[in-house]
């Protein structure tokens, strides 16, 4: 199974968590594409991205949570790369049957993500990606979440890196049901 991590971090040089996770994955031999490095001007090479996606079985989108969603380039990437007739529509089947997995780091701790009258669970906040997965015919795997990313200790981060690599190397990562909570 070919896994590719599509990493979206606009400030990667100052990243601690995503840099550690990406380095762990790279050291384990997993391909990591740093999209902000590849496209510093935001001009995405759609043909190139589609070719990489077509050659991948498990698509991992890794990013820090920004404003309850993703950094902007990921949205631009989706808008440009998931073309009608390629990713969806009557002839758009190129991603059908592949796996889609998110690896997301919210800066705030778990306690910030529950129904307290003004917030939602992380799973709920990520539903647009799950709906997109359904539209493009991929299997939406249970996301790998690193909560409390702004204050995670060195020891917990090291542990999280080990768990990330193990998770990525699993043959059968469970899917997340349409309305299921993690
Ligand atoms: C523009 C911006 C928006 C952010 N929005 C959120 C947010 O909505 N929820 C949250 O928990 N953390 C938020 N954060 C914190 C980041 O998710 C956190 O700093 C990041 O995951 C840490 O990973 P890193 O060390 O790889 O940068 C935000 C940070 C920035 C810079």
């Amino acid at each position: 199974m070919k896994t590719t991590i599509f990493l979206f971090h606009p400030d990667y040089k100052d990243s601690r968590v995503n840099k550690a996770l990406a380095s762990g994955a790279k050291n384990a031999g997993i391909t990591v594409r740093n999209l902000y490095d590849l496209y510093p001007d935001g001009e995405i090479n759609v043909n190139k991205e589609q070719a990489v996606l077509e050659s991948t079985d498990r698509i991992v989108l890794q990013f820090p949570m920004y404003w309850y969603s993703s950094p902007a380039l990921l949205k631009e990437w989706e808008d440009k790369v998931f073309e009608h007739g390629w990713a969806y529509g009557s002839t758009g089947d190129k991603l059908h049957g592949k796996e889609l997995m998110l690896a997301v780091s919210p800066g705030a701790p778990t306690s910030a993500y529950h129904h307290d009258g003004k917030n939602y669970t992380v799973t709920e906040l990520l539903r647009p990606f799950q709906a997109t997965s359904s539209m493009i015919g991929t299997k939406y795997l249970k996301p790998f979440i690193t909560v409390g990313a702004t204050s995670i200790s060195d020891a917990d981060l090291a542990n999280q890196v080990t768990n990330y690599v193990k998770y990525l190397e699993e043959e059968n990562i469970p899917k997340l049901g349409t309305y299921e909570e993690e």
Side-chain angles (χ1 to χ4, degrees):
M1 153 149 353
K2 167 79 180 159
T3 297
T4 304
I5 297 175
F6 295 80
L7 168 71
F8 296 86
H9 196 309
D11 197 14
Y12 191 66
K13 67 174 185 348
D14 290 328
S15 160
R16 182 170 160 253
V17 170
N18 285 279
K19 198 186 269 176
L21 293 172
S23 300
K26 242 185 257 172
N27 292 340
I30 298 165
T31 305
V32 179
R33 290 170 63 71
N34 184 331
L35 279 294
Y36 275 94
D37 261 8
L38 289 168
Y39 306 117
D41 57 1
E43 284 298 315
I44 292 165
N45 182 334
V46 172
N47 289 340
K48 173 70 189 168
E49 293 306 309
Q50 289 180 343
V52 175
L53 285 164
E54 285 182 29
S55 71
T56 297
D57 306 301
R58 179 177 288 163
I59 300 156
V60 179
L61 305 178
Q62 184 189 321
F63 53 91
M65 180 177 275
Y66 274 16
W67 285 110
Y68 307 107
S69 181
S70 70
L73 187 63
L74 173 49
K75 184 64 171 59
E76 175 74 0
W77 182 86
E78 288 178 304
D79 293 353
K80 292 280 155 55
V81 177
F82 295 165
E83 286 180 324
H84 182 262
W86 183 84
Y88 71 101
S90 58
T91 58
D93 61 358
K94 294 292 191 288
L95 300 175
H96 284 190
K98 295 180 186 291
E99 296 182 338
L100 182 71
M101 193 196 114
L102 305 185
V104 184
S105 66
T110 324
S111 56
Y113 291 104
H114 67 282
H115 292 175
D116 61 355
K118 56 181 183 177
N119 215 335
Y120 307 90
T121 66
V122 173
T123 304
E124 285 171 334
L125 292 167
L126 299 176
R127 291 287 190 221
F129 293 97
Q130 193 168 6
T132 297
S133 176
S134 166
M135 182 63 116
I136 62 177
T138 50
K139 297 172 195 154
Y140 188 75
L141 306 183
K142 291 201 174 190
F144 183 88
I145 309 292
T146 305
V147 279
T150 46
S151 55
I152 191 168
S153 70
D154 288 345
D156 285 350
L157 180 55
N159 205 27
Q160 191 67 353
V161 172
T162 305
N163 290 339
Y164 187 41
V165 172
K166 258 195 225 151
Y167 200 69
L168 290 168
E169 286 178 341
E170 264 182 45
E171 197 61 35
N172 296 306
I173 298 177
K175 286 197 277 177
L176 187 75
T178 313
Y179 302 110
E180 190 185 353
E181 268 295 326
E182 262 189 293

